[in-house]
Amino acid sequence: MVKPPVPISVNEIPFKVEILEAFLHSSEDLVAGKEYVPKLYTTRQGEKIVFRLAKKEEAPIILETLKKLIDPQYDKDLYHIVAARTYAEVLAWTQARYKDEYVIVGVHDGELIGVWNARLMNKDVAVSLHSITFKRLGGIGTAGYAAKAEYAFEVLGVKEWWATFESPFGFRLGMYFRHFMKPYPEVQHELGGSPVFYMTADDWFNLHKKREELKPFFGTRPVPEDLLKKSYELRPPSKLEIEL
Ligand SMILES: CC(C)(COP(=O)(O)OP(=O)(O)OC[C@H]1O[C@@H](n2cnc3c(N)ncnc32)[C@H](O)[C@@H]1OP(=O)(O)O)[C@@H](O)C(=O)NCCC(=O)NCCS
């Protein structure tokens, strides 16, 4: 407690919570209204996956799905920790507690098939947060990662993409897109784990977008109307297909 330099008329000044909220609310100025044209990815097994921005109203479905994985029985391939962290980030997004976050969902026949999120540190740097798929072995994780980076570089116009990896499978998918390493521990990712692995806008446009072997992961546009419509009738996956 610090004594004021002059007498103050009252001992306490209550604040309306709406006044406090103005200080607590995270900004979304860099992502607000920035549309991402949905796209279609065909898995190795032929399933049609729609990738699109999630709506905040869909958060309960995303959270319900992630919550199932927040359990020690999923301490395999780092699913437990990634589900827990993604859960917190999606919740923070809906409650305006994470600056300039965006969330991309993958949807198969109305079922949520994965979640990919990131946020903007500032107009030049996008910070990749998490990638998690509920159906493995179709290349879905890589296609979703391409979608969130594409949004950052091609719609939001960032100059750098900063990732870090928690799992060997996450690292493997990141390595599809050659990332360089920032000096560590001098430069740290906000997830606080391994070094920052980054790629630049120049890498994105002049290398990756031109690589033949990556083309399938970039998907196609437009998404046929019936598939797009179905993707907005979002429901949790009927089963978690995460065992290899
Ligand atoms: C990371 C993740 C999104 C990647 O998804 P994905 O790209 O669809 O990849 P999968 O998990 O299906 O793994 C496929 C890979 O497994 C490997 N694999 C599968 N079966 C295998 C086997 N029997 N032996 C060796 N490798 C095998 C292959 O290398 C395959 O890679 P390919 O797609 O290049 O052929 C997903 O694994 C996931 O959600 N993991 C949990 C959360 C997580 O770790 N997130 C990333 C945090 S950094």
PDB file of all heavy atoms in Angstrom, residues 44 77-79 82 116 130-143 164-167 169-173 176 217 244, ligand 1:
ATOM      1  N   ARG A  44      -5.334 -38.981 -48.741  1.00  0.00           N
ATOM      2  CA  ARG A  44      -4.790 -40.112 -49.510  1.00  0.00           C
ATOM      3  C   ARG A  44      -5.844 -41.192 -49.687  1.00  0.00           C
ATOM      4  O   ARG A  44      -5.769 -41.997 -50.600  1.00  0.00           O
ATOM      5  CB  ARG A  44      -3.580 -40.681 -48.795  1.00  0.00           C
ATOM      6  CG  ARG A  44      -2.458 -39.671 -48.719  1.00  0.00           C
ATOM      7  CD  ARG A  44      -1.224 -40.288 -48.085  1.00  0.00           C
ATOM      8  NE  ARG A  44      -0.224 -39.245 -47.951  1.00  0.00           N
ATOM      9  CZ  ARG A  44       0.340 -38.908 -46.810  1.00  0.00           C
ATOM     10  NH1 ARG A  44       0.052 -39.536 -45.696  1.00  0.00           N
ATOM     11  NH2 ARG A  44       1.230 -37.947 -46.778  1.00  0.00           N
ATOM     12  N   ASP A  77       2.230 -39.794 -28.439  1.00  0.00           N
ATOM     13  CA  ASP A  77       2.435 -38.861 -29.556  1.00  0.00           C
ATOM     14  C   ASP A  77       2.092 -37.413 -29.167  1.00  0.00           C
ATOM     15  O   ASP A  77       1.758 -36.600 -30.036  1.00  0.00           O
ATOM     16  CB  ASP A  77       1.629 -39.288 -30.799  1.00  0.00           C
ATOM     17  CG  ASP A  77       2.101 -40.621 -31.359  1.00  0.00           C
ATOM     18  OD1 ASP A  77       3.216 -41.064 -31.004  1.00  0.00           O
ATOM     19  OD2 ASP A  77       1.347 -41.235 -32.133  1.00  0.00           O
ATOM     20  N   LEU A  78       2.146 -37.104 -27.882  1.00  0.00           N
ATOM     21  CA  LEU A  78       1.934 -35.748 -27.352  1.00  0.00           C
ATOM     22  C   LEU A  78       0.491 -35.238 -27.536  1.00  0.00           C
ATOM     23  O   LEU A  78       0.242 -34.026 -27.452  1.00  0.00           O
ATOM     24  CB  LEU A  78       2.941 -34.748 -27.968  1.00  0.00           C
ATOM     25  CG  LEU A  78       4.399 -34.734 -27.467  1.00  0.00           C
ATOM     26  CD1 LEU A  78       4.484 -34.326 -25.995  1.00  0.00           C
ATOM     27  CD2 LEU A  78       5.159 -36.000 -27.690  1.00  0.00           C
ATOM     28  N   TYR A  79      -0.470 -36.130 -27.758  1.00  0.00           N
ATOM     29  CA  TYR A  79      -1.865 -35.689 -27.940  1.00  0.00           C
ATOM     30  C   TYR A  79      -2.421 -34.977 -26.708  1.00  0.00           C
ATOM     31  O   TYR A  79      -3.122 -33.969 -26.818  1.00  0.00           O
ATOM     32  CB  TYR A  79      -2.775 -36.867 -28.324  1.00  0.00           C
ATOM     33  CG  TYR A  79      -3.003 -36.938 -29.819  1.00  0.00           C
ATOM     34  CD1 TYR A  79      -2.139 -37.665 -30.627  1.00  0.00           C
ATOM     35  CD2 TYR A  79      -4.051 -36.258 -30.428  1.00  0.00           C
ATOM     36  CE1 TYR A  79      -2.310 -37.716 -32.004  1.00  0.00           C
ATOM     37  CE2 TYR A  79      -4.235 -36.297 -31.805  1.00  0.00           C
ATOM     38  CZ  TYR A  79      -3.360 -37.032 -32.588  1.00  0.00           C
ATOM     39  OH  TYR A  79      -3.546 -37.063 -33.948  1.00  0.00           O
ATOM     40  N   VAL A  82      -0.966 -31.358 -26.285  1.00  0.00           N
ATOM     41  CA  VAL A  82      -1.390 -30.479 -27.385  1.00  0.00           C
ATOM     42  C   VAL A  82      -2.899 -30.196 -27.279  1.00  0.00           C
ATOM     43  O   VAL A  82      -3.345 -29.066 -27.489  1.00  0.00           O
ATOM     44  CB  VAL A  82      -0.996 -31.075 -28.760  1.00  0.00           C
ATOM     45  CG1 VAL A  82      -1.602 -30.262 -29.897  1.00  0.00           C
ATOM     46  CG2 VAL A  82       0.524 -31.105 -28.895  1.00  0.00           C
ATOM     47  N   TRP A 116      -6.341 -26.055 -36.211  1.00  0.00           N
ATOM     48  CA  TRP A 116      -5.038 -25.417 -36.438  1.00  0.00           C
ATOM     49  C   TRP A 116      -5.178 -23.953 -36.042  1.00  0.00           C
ATOM     50  O   TRP A 116      -6.085 -23.267 -36.546  1.00  0.00           O
ATOM     51  CB  TRP A 116      -4.647 -25.511 -37.926  1.00  0.00           C
ATOM     52  CG  TRP A 116      -4.386 -26.916 -38.360  1.00  0.00           C
ATOM     53  CD1 TRP A 116      -3.164 -27.512 -38.493  1.00  0.00           C
ATOM     54  CD2 TRP A 116      -5.349 -27.927 -38.709  1.00  0.00           C
ATOM     55  NE1 TRP A 116      -3.313 -28.813 -38.898  1.00  0.00           N
ATOM     56  CE2 TRP A 116      -4.645 -29.101 -39.036  1.00  0.00           C
ATOM     57  CE3 TRP A 116      -6.743 -27.961 -38.780  1.00  0.00           C
ATOM     58  CZ2 TRP A 116      -5.271 -30.290 -39.411  1.00  0.00           C
ATOM     59  CZ3 TRP A 116      -7.378 -29.136 -39.148  1.00  0.00           C
ATOM     60  CH2 TRP A 116      -6.641 -30.277 -39.465  1.00  0.00           C
ATOM     61  N   HIS A 130      -0.939 -24.234 -32.501  1.00  0.00           N
ATOM     62  CA  HIS A 130      -1.029 -25.697 -32.516  1.00  0.00           C
ATOM     63  C   HIS A 130      -1.696 -26.271 -33.759  1.00  0.00           C
ATOM     64  O   HIS A 130      -2.445 -25.587 -34.455  1.00  0.00           O
ATOM     65  CB  HIS A 130      -1.756 -26.177 -31.258  1.00  0.00           C
ATOM     66  CG  HIS A 130      -0.884 -26.069 -30.050  1.00  0.00           C
ATOM     67  ND1 HIS A 130      -0.932 -25.004 -29.186  1.00  0.00           N
ATOM     68  CD2 HIS A 130       0.122 -26.879 -29.604  1.00  0.00           C
ATOM     69  CE1 HIS A 130      -0.022 -25.154 -28.243  1.00  0.00           C
ATOM     70  NE2 HIS A 130       0.645 -26.271 -28.473  1.00  0.00           N
ATOM     71  N   SER A 131      -1.379 -27.536 -33.997  1.00  0.00           N
ATOM     72  CA  SER A 131      -1.999 -28.337 -35.058  1.00  0.00           C
ATOM     73  C   SER A 131      -2.403 -29.645 -34.409  1.00  0.00           C
ATOM     74  O   SER A 131      -1.583 -30.272 -33.727  1.00  0.00           O
ATOM     75  CB  SER A 131      -0.984 -28.674 -36.162  1.00  0.00           C
ATOM     76  OG  SER A 131      -0.443 -27.510 -36.732  1.00  0.00           O
ATOM     77  N   ILE A 132      -3.641 -30.043 -34.601  1.00  0.00           N
ATOM     78  CA  ILE A 132      -4.060 -31.336 -34.042  1.00  0.00           C
ATOM     79  C   ILE A 132      -5.127 -31.926 -34.945  1.00  0.00           C
ATOM     80  O   ILE A 132      -6.068 -31.237 -35.346  1.00  0.00           O
ATOM     81  CB  ILE A 132      -4.545 -31.190 -32.574  1.00  0.00           C
ATOM     82  CG1 ILE A 132      -4.865 -32.560 -31.955  1.00  0.00           C
ATOM     83  CG2 ILE A 132      -5.734 -30.250 -32.430  1.00  0.00           C
ATOM     84  CD1 ILE A 132      -4.973 -32.529 -30.417  1.00  0.00           C
ATOM     85  N   THR A 133      -4.916 -33.177 -35.312  1.00  0.00           N
ATOM     86  CA  THR A 133      -5.915 -33.835 -36.150  1.00  0.00           C
ATOM     87  C   THR A 133      -6.482 -35.048 -35.419  1.00  0.00           C
ATOM     88  O   THR A 133      -5.789 -35.703 -34.639  1.00  0.00           O
ATOM     89  CB  THR A 133      -5.335 -34.223 -37.532  1.00  0.00           C
ATOM     90  OG1 THR A 133      -6.350 -34.866 -38.282  1.00  0.00           O
ATOM     91  CG2 THR A 133      -4.143 -35.132 -37.430  1.00  0.00           C
ATOM     92  N   PHE A 134      -7.766 -35.294 -35.657  1.00  0.00           N
ATOM     93  CA  PHE A 134      -8.456 -36.414 -35.010  1.00  0.00           C
ATOM     94  C   PHE A 134      -8.557 -37.622 -35.951  1.00  0.00           C
ATOM     95  O   PHE A 134      -9.229 -38.595 -35.645  1.00  0.00           O
ATOM     96  CB  PHE A 134      -9.859 -35.970 -34.549  1.00  0.00           C
ATOM     97  CG  PHE A 134      -9.821 -34.665 -33.809  1.00  0.00           C
ATOM     98  CD1 PHE A 134     -10.501 -33.545 -34.269  1.00  0.00           C
ATOM     99  CD2 PHE A 134      -9.037 -34.544 -32.656  1.00  0.00           C
ATOM    100  CE1 PHE A 134     -10.417 -32.334 -33.599  1.00  0.00           C
ATOM    101  CE2 PHE A 134      -8.948 -33.336 -31.984  1.00  0.00           C
ATOM    102  CZ  PHE A 134      -9.646 -32.227 -32.451  1.00  0.00           C
ATOM    103  N   LYS A 135      -7.900 -37.502 -37.114  1.00  0.00           N
ATOM    104  CA  LYS A 135      -7.904 -38.605 -38.075  1.00  0.00           C
ATOM    105  C   LYS A 135      -6.550 -38.604 -38.764  1.00  0.00           C
ATOM    106  O   LYS A 135      -6.239 -37.683 -39.528  1.00  0.00           O
ATOM    107  CB  LYS A 135      -9.025 -38.381 -39.103  1.00  0.00           C
ATOM    108  CG  LYS A 135      -9.238 -39.537 -40.043  1.00  0.00           C
ATOM    109  CD  LYS A 135     -10.440 -39.219 -40.940  1.00  0.00           C
ATOM    110  CE  LYS A 135     -10.630 -40.238 -42.021  1.00  0.00           C
ATOM    111  NZ  LYS A 135     -10.882 -41.598 -41.586  1.00  0.00           N
ATOM    112  N   ARG A 136      -5.762 -39.598 -38.478  1.00  0.00           N
ATOM    113  CA  ARG A 136      -4.390 -39.594 -38.972  1.00  0.00           C
ATOM    114  C   ARG A 136      -4.223 -40.382 -40.268  1.00  0.00           C
ATOM    115  O   ARG A 136      -5.133 -41.030 -40.731  1.00  0.00           O
ATOM    116  CB  ARG A 136      -3.459 -40.138 -37.886  1.00  0.00           C
ATOM    117  CG  ARG A 136      -3.497 -39.221 -36.679  1.00  0.00           C
ATOM    118  CD  ARG A 136      -2.685 -39.737 -35.534  1.00  0.00           C
ATOM    119  NE  ARG A 136      -1.257 -39.509 -35.721  1.00  0.00           N
ATOM    120  CZ  ARG A 136      -0.342 -39.888 -34.834  1.00  0.00           C
ATOM    121  NH1 ARG A 136      -0.727 -40.530 -33.726  1.00  0.00           N
ATOM    122  NH2 ARG A 136       0.920 -39.645 -35.038  1.00  0.00           N
ATOM    123  N   LEU A 137      -3.027 -40.254 -40.814  1.00  0.00           N
ATOM    124  CA  LEU A 137      -2.551 -41.000 -41.982  1.00  0.00           C
ATOM    125  C   LEU A 137      -3.135 -40.542 -43.316  1.00  0.00           C
ATOM    126  O   LEU A 137      -2.968 -41.213 -44.318  1.00  0.00           O
ATOM    127  CB  LEU A 137      -2.777 -42.516 -41.815  1.00  0.00           C
ATOM    128  CG  LEU A 137      -1.998 -43.159 -40.662  1.00  0.00           C
ATOM    129  CD1 LEU A 137      -2.341 -44.652 -40.556  1.00  0.00           C
ATOM    130  CD2 LEU A 137      -0.494 -42.990 -40.872  1.00  0.00           C
ATOM    131  N   GLY A 138      -3.795 -39.385 -43.322  1.00  0.00           N
ATOM    132  CA  GLY A 138      -4.332 -38.897 -44.600  1.00  0.00           C
ATOM    133  C   GLY A 138      -3.610 -37.652 -45.089  1.00  0.00           C
ATOM    134  O   GLY A 138      -4.014 -37.055 -46.084  1.00  0.00           O
ATOM    135  N   GLY A 139      -2.565 -37.232 -44.366  1.00  0.00           N
ATOM    136  CA  GLY A 139      -1.883 -35.983 -44.740  1.00  0.00           C
ATOM    137  C   GLY A 139      -2.652 -34.757 -44.264  1.00  0.00           C
ATOM    138  O   GLY A 139      -2.351 -33.622 -44.658  1.00  0.00           O
ATOM    139  N   ILE A 140      -3.635 -34.963 -43.395  1.00  0.00           N
ATOM    140  CA  ILE A 140      -4.514 -33.869 -42.968  1.00  0.00           C
ATOM    141  C   ILE A 140      -3.748 -32.838 -42.122  1.00  0.00           C
ATOM    142  O   ILE A 140      -3.952 -31.636 -42.252  1.00  0.00           O
ATOM    143  CB  ILE A 140      -5.726 -34.438 -42.180  1.00  0.00           C
ATOM    144  CG1 ILE A 140      -6.559 -35.324 -43.101  1.00  0.00           C
ATOM    145  CG2 ILE A 140      -6.577 -33.322 -41.583  1.00  0.00           C
ATOM    146  CD1 ILE A 140      -7.619 -36.163 -42.383  1.00  0.00           C
ATOM    147  N   GLY A 141      -2.850 -33.332 -41.273  1.00  0.00           N
ATOM    148  CA  GLY A 141      -2.079 -32.418 -40.422  1.00  0.00           C
ATOM    149  C   GLY A 141      -1.269 -31.444 -41.261  1.00  0.00           C
ATOM    150  O   GLY A 141      -1.223 -30.242 -40.975  1.00  0.00           O
ATOM    151  N   THR A 142      -0.646 -31.961 -42.299  1.00  0.00           N
ATOM    152  CA  THR A 142       0.198 -31.120 -43.155  1.00  0.00           C
ATOM    153  C   THR A 142      -0.653 -30.126 -43.951  1.00  0.00           C
ATOM    154  O   THR A 142      -0.299 -28.947 -44.077  1.00  0.00           O
ATOM    155  CB  THR A 142       1.026 -32.014 -44.107  1.00  0.00           C
ATOM    156  OG1 THR A 142       1.687 -32.998 -43.303  1.00  0.00           O
ATOM    157  CG2 THR A 142       2.041 -31.218 -44.885  1.00  0.00           C
ATOM    158  N   ALA A 143      -1.794 -30.593 -44.460  1.00  0.00           N
ATOM    159  CA  ALA A 143      -2.673 -29.703 -45.233  1.00  0.00           C
ATOM    160  C   ALA A 143      -3.215 -28.581 -44.333  1.00  0.00           C
ATOM    161  O   ALA A 143      -3.318 -27.429 -44.768  1.00  0.00           O
ATOM    162  CB  ALA A 143      -3.819 -30.506 -45.842  1.00  0.00           C
ATOM    163  N   THR A 164       7.104 -23.523 -33.311  1.00  0.00           N
ATOM    164  CA  THR A 164       7.941 -24.357 -32.470  1.00  0.00           C
ATOM    165  C   THR A 164       7.232 -25.697 -32.454  1.00  0.00           C
ATOM    166  O   THR A 164       6.061 -25.780 -32.828  1.00  0.00           O
ATOM    167  CB  THR A 164       8.128 -23.779 -31.056  1.00  0.00           C
ATOM    168  OG1 THR A 164       9.208 -24.470 -30.409  1.00  0.00           O
ATOM    169  CG2 THR A 164       6.888 -23.909 -30.192  1.00  0.00           C
ATOM    170  N   PHE A 165       7.924 -26.760 -32.082  1.00  0.00           N
ATOM    171  CA  PHE A 165       7.297 -28.076 -32.179  1.00  0.00           C
ATOM    172  C   PHE A 165       7.394 -28.816 -30.863  1.00  0.00           C
ATOM    173  O   PHE A 165       8.415 -28.764 -30.178  1.00  0.00           O
ATOM    174  CB  PHE A 165       7.936 -28.882 -33.318  1.00  0.00           C
ATOM    175  CG  PHE A 165       7.819 -28.181 -34.648  1.00  0.00           C
ATOM    176  CD1 PHE A 165       8.916 -27.582 -35.238  1.00  0.00           C
ATOM    177  CD2 PHE A 165       6.588 -28.074 -35.276  1.00  0.00           C
ATOM    178  CE1 PHE A 165       8.794 -26.893 -36.442  1.00  0.00           C
ATOM    179  CE2 PHE A 165       6.452 -27.384 -36.482  1.00  0.00           C
ATOM    180  CZ  PHE A 165       7.563 -26.800 -37.066  1.00  0.00           C
ATOM    181  N   GLU A 166       6.304 -29.506 -30.523  1.00  0.00           N
ATOM    182  CA  GLU A 166       6.269 -30.270 -29.276  1.00  0.00           C
ATOM    183  C   GLU A 166       6.440 -31.757 -29.531  1.00  0.00           C
ATOM    184  O   GLU A 166       6.897 -32.487 -28.667  1.00  0.00           O
ATOM    185  CB  GLU A 166       4.921 -30.049 -28.573  1.00  0.00           C
ATOM    186  CG  GLU A 166       4.829 -28.714 -27.881  1.00  0.00           C
ATOM    187  CD  GLU A 166       3.431 -28.145 -27.917  1.00  0.00           C
ATOM    188  OE1 GLU A 166       2.771 -28.259 -28.967  1.00  0.00           O
ATOM    189  OE2 GLU A 166       2.997 -27.594 -26.903  1.00  0.00           O
ATOM    190  N   SER A 167       6.012 -32.205 -30.697  1.00  0.00           N
ATOM    191  CA  SER A 167       6.009 -33.652 -30.933  1.00  0.00           C
ATOM    192  C   SER A 167       6.830 -34.001 -32.169  1.00  0.00           C
ATOM    193  O   SER A 167       6.979 -33.181 -33.074  1.00  0.00           O
ATOM    194  CB  SER A 167       4.572 -34.142 -31.142  1.00  0.00           C
ATOM    195  OG  SER A 167       4.083 -33.687 -32.391  1.00  0.00           O
ATOM    196  N   PHE A 169       5.902 -35.879 -34.555  1.00  0.00           N
ATOM    197  CA  PHE A 169       5.030 -35.795 -35.732  1.00  0.00           C
ATOM    198  C   PHE A 169       4.800 -34.346 -36.142  1.00  0.00           C
ATOM    199  O   PHE A 169       4.688 -34.035 -37.325  1.00  0.00           O
ATOM    200  CB  PHE A 169       3.696 -36.519 -35.480  1.00  0.00           C
ATOM    201  CG  PHE A 169       3.843 -38.011 -35.482  1.00  0.00           C
ATOM    202  CD1 PHE A 169       3.985 -38.709 -34.290  1.00  0.00           C
ATOM    203  CD2 PHE A 169       3.894 -38.724 -36.675  1.00  0.00           C
ATOM    204  CE1 PHE A 169       4.147 -40.087 -34.291  1.00  0.00           C
ATOM    205  CE2 PHE A 169       4.065 -40.101 -36.689  1.00  0.00           C
ATOM    206  CZ  PHE A 169       4.192 -40.794 -35.486  1.00  0.00           C
ATOM    207  N   GLY A 170       4.737 -33.456 -35.139  1.00  0.00           N
ATOM    208  CA  GLY A 170       4.597 -32.036 -35.451  1.00  0.00           C
ATOM    209  C   GLY A 170       5.847 -31.528 -36.154  1.00  0.00           C
ATOM    210  O   GLY A 170       5.774 -30.806 -37.150  1.00  0.00           O
ATOM    211  N   PHE A 171       7.001 -31.944 -35.650  1.00  0.00           N
ATOM    212  CA  PHE A 171       8.272 -31.527 -36.248  1.00  0.00           C
ATOM    213  C   PHE A 171       8.362 -32.038 -37.692  1.00  0.00           C
ATOM    214  O   PHE A 171       8.732 -31.313 -38.604  1.00  0.00           O
ATOM    215  CB  PHE A 171       9.430 -32.069 -35.407  1.00  0.00           C
ATOM    216  CG  PHE A 171      10.777 -31.580 -35.848  1.00  0.00           C
ATOM    217  CD1 PHE A 171      11.170 -30.273 -35.606  1.00  0.00           C
ATOM    218  CD2 PHE A 171      11.657 -32.423 -36.503  1.00  0.00           C
ATOM    219  CE1 PHE A 171      12.413 -29.815 -36.010  1.00  0.00           C
ATOM    220  CE2 PHE A 171      12.906 -31.974 -36.914  1.00  0.00           C
ATOM    221  CZ  PHE A 171      13.279 -30.666 -36.659  1.00  0.00           C
ATOM    222  N   ARG A 172       7.940 -33.291 -37.874  1.00  0.00           N
ATOM    223  CA  ARG A 172       7.989 -33.881 -39.211  1.00  0.00           C
ATOM    224  C   ARG A 172       7.124 -33.079 -40.180  1.00  0.00           C
ATOM    225  O   ARG A 172       7.524 -32.770 -41.294  1.00  0.00           O
ATOM    226  CB  ARG A 172       7.523 -35.333 -39.157  1.00  0.00           C
ATOM    227  CG  ARG A 172       7.571 -36.049 -40.496  1.00  0.00           C
ATOM    228  CD  ARG A 172       6.649 -37.255 -40.498  1.00  0.00           C
ATOM    229  NE  ARG A 172       5.288 -36.878 -40.257  1.00  0.00           N
ATOM    230  CZ  ARG A 172       4.438 -36.481 -41.191  1.00  0.00           C
ATOM    231  NH1 ARG A 172       4.821 -36.428 -42.445  1.00  0.00           N
ATOM    232  NH2 ARG A 172       3.219 -36.119 -40.880  1.00  0.00           N
ATOM    233  N   LEU A 173       5.928 -32.694 -39.719  1.00  0.00           N
ATOM    234  CA  LEU A 173       5.074 -31.945 -40.655  1.00  0.00           C
ATOM    235  C   LEU A 173       5.648 -30.550 -40.909  1.00  0.00           C
ATOM    236  O   LEU A 173       5.593 -30.041 -42.036  1.00  0.00           O
ATOM    237  CB  LEU A 173       3.616 -31.918 -40.180  1.00  0.00           C
ATOM    238  CG  LEU A 173       3.012 -30.823 -39.318  1.00  0.00           C
ATOM    239  CD1 LEU A 173       2.744 -29.568 -40.109  1.00  0.00           C
ATOM    240  CD2 LEU A 173       1.709 -31.337 -38.733  1.00  0.00           C
ATOM    241  N   TYR A 176       8.159 -30.457 -43.672  1.00  0.00           N
ATOM    242  CA  TYR A 176       7.701 -30.428 -45.066  1.00  0.00           C
ATOM    243  C   TYR A 176       7.967 -29.043 -45.655  1.00  0.00           C
ATOM    244  O   TYR A 176       8.181 -28.880 -46.845  1.00  0.00           O
ATOM    245  CB  TYR A 176       6.193 -30.682 -45.134  1.00  0.00           C
ATOM    246  CG  TYR A 176       5.798 -32.123 -45.358  1.00  0.00           C
ATOM    247  CD1 TYR A 176       5.635 -32.994 -44.298  1.00  0.00           C
ATOM    248  CD2 TYR A 176       5.578 -32.591 -46.650  1.00  0.00           C
ATOM    249  CE1 TYR A 176       5.267 -34.301 -44.505  1.00  0.00           C
ATOM    250  CE2 TYR A 176       5.202 -33.900 -46.866  1.00  0.00           C
ATOM    251  CZ  TYR A 176       5.050 -34.752 -45.791  1.00  0.00           C
ATOM    252  OH  TYR A 176       4.686 -36.046 -46.010  1.00  0.00           O
ATOM    253  N   PHE A 217      -1.146 -30.692 -50.841  1.00  0.00           N
ATOM    254  CA  PHE A 217      -1.481 -30.164 -49.505  1.00  0.00           C
ATOM    255  C   PHE A 217      -2.102 -28.774 -49.563  1.00  0.00           C
ATOM    256  O   PHE A 217      -2.710 -28.323 -48.600  1.00  0.00           O
ATOM    257  CB  PHE A 217      -0.234 -30.134 -48.608  1.00  0.00           C
ATOM    258  CG  PHE A 217       0.314 -31.494 -48.316  1.00  0.00           C
ATOM    259  CD1 PHE A 217       1.570 -31.864 -48.774  1.00  0.00           C
ATOM    260  CD2 PHE A 217      -0.424 -32.417 -47.592  1.00  0.00           C
ATOM    261  CE1 PHE A 217       2.085 -33.132 -48.508  1.00  0.00           C
ATOM    262  CE2 PHE A 217       0.075 -33.679 -47.322  1.00  0.00           C
ATOM    263  CZ  PHE A 217       1.337 -34.040 -47.788  1.00  0.00           C
ATOM    264  N   LEU A 244      -1.854 -45.051 -34.878  1.00  0.00           N
ATOM    265  CA  LEU A 244      -1.224 -45.388 -36.171  1.00  0.00           C
ATOM    266  C   LEU A 244      -1.243 -46.898 -36.357  1.00  0.00           C
ATOM    267  O   LEU A 244      -1.171 -47.649 -35.408  1.00  0.00           O
ATOM    268  CB  LEU A 244       0.209 -44.876 -36.205  1.00  0.00           C
ATOM    269  CG  LEU A 244       0.383 -43.351 -36.265  1.00  0.00           C
ATOM    270  CD1 LEU A 244       1.860 -43.007 -36.417  1.00  0.00           C
ATOM    271  CD2 LEU A 244      -0.418 -42.749 -37.422  1.00  0.00           C
TER     272      LEU A 244
HETATM  273  C1  LIG B   1       1.089 -33.575 -35.808  1.00  0.00           C
HETATM  274  C2  LIG B   1      -0.113 -34.047 -36.572  1.00  0.00           C
HETATM  275  C3  LIG B   1      -1.088 -32.869 -36.749  1.00  0.00           C
HETATM  276  C4  LIG B   1       0.379 -34.511 -37.941  1.00  0.00           C
HETATM  277  O1  LIG B   1      -0.707 -35.001 -38.652  1.00  0.00           O
HETATM  278  P1  LIG B   1      -0.494 -35.665 -40.105  1.00  0.00           P
HETATM  279  O2  LIG B   1       0.364 -34.747 -40.907  1.00  0.00           O
HETATM  280  O3  LIG B   1      -1.848 -35.947 -40.635  1.00  0.00           O
HETATM  281  O4  LIG B   1       0.389 -36.922 -39.833  1.00  0.00           O
HETATM  282  P2  LIG B   1       0.049 -38.253 -39.030  1.00  0.00           P
HETATM  283  O5  LIG B   1      -0.044 -37.988 -37.567  1.00  0.00           O
HETATM  284  O6  LIG B   1      -1.107 -38.932 -39.673  1.00  0.00           O
HETATM  285  O7  LIG B   1       1.366 -39.095 -39.270  1.00  0.00           O
HETATM  286  C5  LIG B   1       1.695 -39.502 -40.567  1.00  0.00           C
HETATM  287  C6  LIG B   1       3.135 -39.904 -40.619  1.00  0.00           C
HETATM  288  O8  LIG B   1       3.333 -40.994 -39.747  1.00  0.00           O
HETATM  289  C7  LIG B   1       4.414 -41.737 -40.243  1.00  0.00           C
HETATM  290  N1  LIG B   1       4.039 -43.109 -40.121  1.00  0.00           N
HETATM  291  C8  LIG B   1       2.818 -43.642 -40.174  1.00  0.00           C
HETATM  292  N2  LIG B   1       2.864 -44.966 -39.972  1.00  0.00           N
HETATM  293  C9  LIG B   1       4.150 -45.257 -39.767  1.00  0.00           C
HETATM  294  C10 LIG B   1       4.846 -46.436 -39.506  1.00  0.00           C
HETATM  295  N3  LIG B   1       4.233 -47.607 -39.395  1.00  0.00           N
HETATM  296  N4  LIG B   1       6.189 -46.381 -39.355  1.00  0.00           N
HETATM  297  C11 LIG B   1       6.847 -45.210 -39.475  1.00  0.00           C
HETATM  298  N5  LIG B   1       6.224 -44.044 -39.721  1.00  0.00           N
HETATM  299  C12 LIG B   1       4.906 -44.075 -39.868  1.00  0.00           C
HETATM  300  C13 LIG B   1       4.682 -41.348 -41.649  1.00  0.00           C
HETATM  301  O9  LIG B   1       5.920 -40.681 -41.666  1.00  0.00           O
HETATM  302  C14 LIG B   1       3.577 -40.383 -41.963  1.00  0.00           C
HETATM  303  O10 LIG B   1       4.126 -39.315 -42.671  1.00  0.00           O
HETATM  304  P3  LIG B   1       3.616 -38.924 -44.118  1.00  0.00           P
HETATM  305  O11 LIG B   1       2.225 -38.376 -43.926  1.00  0.00           O
HETATM  306  O12 LIG B   1       4.567 -37.918 -44.568  1.00  0.00           O
HETATM  307  O13 LIG B   1       3.607 -40.164 -44.943  1.00  0.00           O
HETATM  308  C15 LIG B   1      -0.834 -35.202 -35.853  1.00  0.00           C
HETATM  309  O14 LIG B   1       0.074 -36.258 -35.709  1.00  0.00           O
HETATM  310  C16 LIG B   1      -1.371 -34.818 -34.486  1.00  0.00           C
HETATM  311  O15 LIG B   1      -2.452 -34.259 -34.378  1.00  0.00           O
HETATM  312  N6  LIG B   1      -0.574 -35.124 -33.445  1.00  0.00           N
HETATM  313  C17 LIG B   1      -0.933 -34.798 -32.060  1.00  0.00           C
HETATM  314  C18 LIG B   1      -0.754 -33.322 -31.760  1.00  0.00           C
HETATM  315  C19 LIG B   1       0.607 -32.827 -32.178  1.00  0.00           C
HETATM  316  O16 LIG B   1       1.611 -33.456 -31.942  1.00  0.00           O
HETATM  317  N7  LIG B   1       0.620 -31.645 -32.802  1.00  0.00           N
HETATM  318  C20 LIG B   1       1.800 -30.988 -33.260  1.00  0.00           C
HETATM  319  C21 LIG B   1       2.459 -30.298 -32.137  1.00  0.00           C
HETATM  320  S1  LIG B   1       4.009 -29.645 -32.634  1.00  0.00           S
END
